Amino acid sequence: MNADATDSEKQSGSFDEPRGVVAVLGAGVIGSGVAQVFAQYGYRVVVIDLQEEILEHCRKDLTKNLRFQGFFRKSGAEPPGKTLDRISFLTDYKALGAASVVIENITEKWEAKRDLYNQIRDLYSQDALIGINTSAISITRIAALTRNPSRAIGMHFMNPVPLTSAVELIRGFHTSSETVEEATRLMHVIGKQSVVVNDLPGFVSNRILMLTINEAIWVVHDQVAPAADVDLIFKLCFGHKMGPLETADLIGLDTILLSLDALYESYQDTKFRACPMLRIMVDAGLRGRKSGEGFYKYRAE
């Protein structure tokens, strides 16, 4: 895999030849963003999801996002259609055999991830780089399900993937130094700075962020302040672009709840106990932006 790129290539995202095949497992919001970024930087991308309707939604989102970016693209940058031509949408895991990089982005549930990795174990190359995208589950635990744990590394992409400038890379117990170096180079090629951390559930970003979001929900639950005022304090007083509850809606309240539950299970520490208000909102279908309502209401797309 060619992991080097000139500055002009990285700026334009235009390449004469594809760089290789990246398989993206899971066509949700994060998976869609990961696919877009790799395709924009010259990789052929295979997006795999077992549900046709999710793949179709992913295709529509990518088309819309690339067209929107096309209005602002610099002169000489490739048109959106050329990027889309690099992306395939499949429901068959057999396509993993051609991939040099596999990035898994499915739901934040241990049982679902366990079942997936057991299902695909013999379908990808033993030398493939395995990127595990999770908010809170141990990389070491998931890597144990792969063919070669030394080739597995956590790749925590932040939402929205195309607009964020960094990726949290997580070194599992068996992750080799060569894998860390390769993953770091790969992030550089797609225009992302990487920060390498060690493997404990939640890592750095979500071990801290989930506590902040959960406490902000408790503040609303305890009627200290409404959601808008909680977020306003963080934006005006601390200079944050988004408040913790706006961030929760962006991530997805269901994902926040799954992450808190995973952290609570991992550490057995009550500080990770999810606020009852969060659980009620998720049960009621208020999942944030993706459902049209969370702590705020959003226009239907």
Side-chain angles (χ1 to χ4, degrees):
M1 179 174 56
N2 180 5
D4 296 322
T6 66
D7 288 340
S8 60
E9 285 175 331
K10 284 187 289 183
Q11 288 173 3
S12 69
S14 179
F15 300 87
D16 293 332
E17 296 295 335
R19 291 177 169 273
V21 177
V22 175
V24 176
L25 305 182
V29 174
I30 296 295
S32 175
V34 171
Q36 175 180 330
V37 168
F38 275 97
Q40 286 179 313
Y41 282 90
Y43 288 89
R44 286 179 291 140
V45 179
V46 179
V47 180
I48 306 176
D49 199 295
L50 298 183
Q51 299 185 52
E52 287 280 6
E53 60 271 24
I54 294 179
L55 284 173
E56 182 58 29
H57 190 269
C58 177
R59 184 186 288 108
K60 289 179 179 178
D61 274 355
L62 281 168
T63 302
K64 179 186 67 177
N65 292 342
L66 287 168
R67 285 177 178 170
F68 178 77
Q69 289 187 16
F71 287 115
F72 302 98
R73 70 179 187 269
K74 298 177 181 179
S75 175
E78 69 178 18
K82 190 171 182 180
T83 301
L84 280 170
D85 286 344
R86 294 197 187 98
I87 306 175
S88 303
F89 302 88
L90 302 173
T91 58
D92 191 345
Y93 289 130
K94 291 180 181 178
L96 289 173
S100 57
V101 179
V102 177
I103 302 177
E104 174 266 307
N105 310 273
I106 71 167
T107 186
E108 193 70 16
K109 294 181 180 179
W110 160 249
E111 293 79 9
K113 290 184 183 290
R114 178 196 61 201
D115 293 347
L116 170 66
Y117 281 95
N118 285 335
Q119 184 176 354
I120 67 173
R121 183 180 178 88
D122 297 323
L123 298 180
Y124 56 86
S125 168
Q126 185 168 330
D127 295 327
L129 177 67
I130 306 298
I132 301 167
N133 196 356
T134 174
S135 298
I137 301 175
S138 166
I139 299 303
T140 299
R141 189 182 189 190
I142 297 175
L145 303 171
T146 67
R147 295 184 65 184
N148 184 357
S150 72
R151 295 291 291 154
I153 187 169
M155 292 184 183
H156 185 201
F157 290 88
M158 312 295 173
N159 188 28
V161 178
L163 300 181
T164 54
S165 60
V167 175
E168 188 178 33
L169 296 179
I170 304 99
R171 182 192 295 108
F173 184 86
H174 293 292
T175 305
S176 70
S177 297
E178 291 76 15
T179 295
V180 173
E181 292 172 3
E182 183 176 344
T184 300
R185 291 197 303 271
L186 181 64
M187 294 303 103
H188 177 70
V189 169
I190 62 171
K192 307 290 186 188
Q193 183 175 347
S194 57
V195 180
V196 180
V197 302
N198 291 321
D199 182 31
L200 275 178
F203 326 121
V204 172
S205 59
N206 278 341
R207 186 169 172 180
I208 298 170
L209 179 61
M210 293 303 143
L211 282 172
T212 303
I213 290 173
N214 195 43
E215 196 62 29
I217 298 172
W218 275 107
V219 167
V220 176
H221 176 273
D222 293 340
Q223 298 183 1
V224 178
D229 286 349
V230 172
D231 285 335
L232 191 61
I233 287 171
F234 273 81
K235 289 186 287 187
L236 295 182
C237 297
F238 304 121
H240 292 193
K241 292 182 180 179
M242 298 178 68
L245 300 176
E246 291 172 310
T247 302
D249 273 0
L250 177 64
I251 294 171
L253 300 188
D254 53 340
T255 301
I256 299 294
L257 180 57
L258 288 169
S259 298
L260 285 166
D261 285 347
L263 289 165
Y264 181 83
E265 179 185 355
S266 298
Y267 291 106
Q268 293 294 296
D269 192 326
T270 56
K271 70 184 180 183
F272 294 110
R273 181 172 65 91
C275 177
M277 183 179 185
L278 173 61
R279 203 172 296 277
I280 290 171
M281 292 177 70
V282 172
D283 288 344
L286 307 182
R287 298 178 295 157
R289 286 181 177 270
K290 57 187 171 185
S291 70
E293 184 175 356
F295 286 99
Y296 303 89
K297 291 185 178 181
Y298 304 90
R299 290 182 181 179
E301 295 183 358

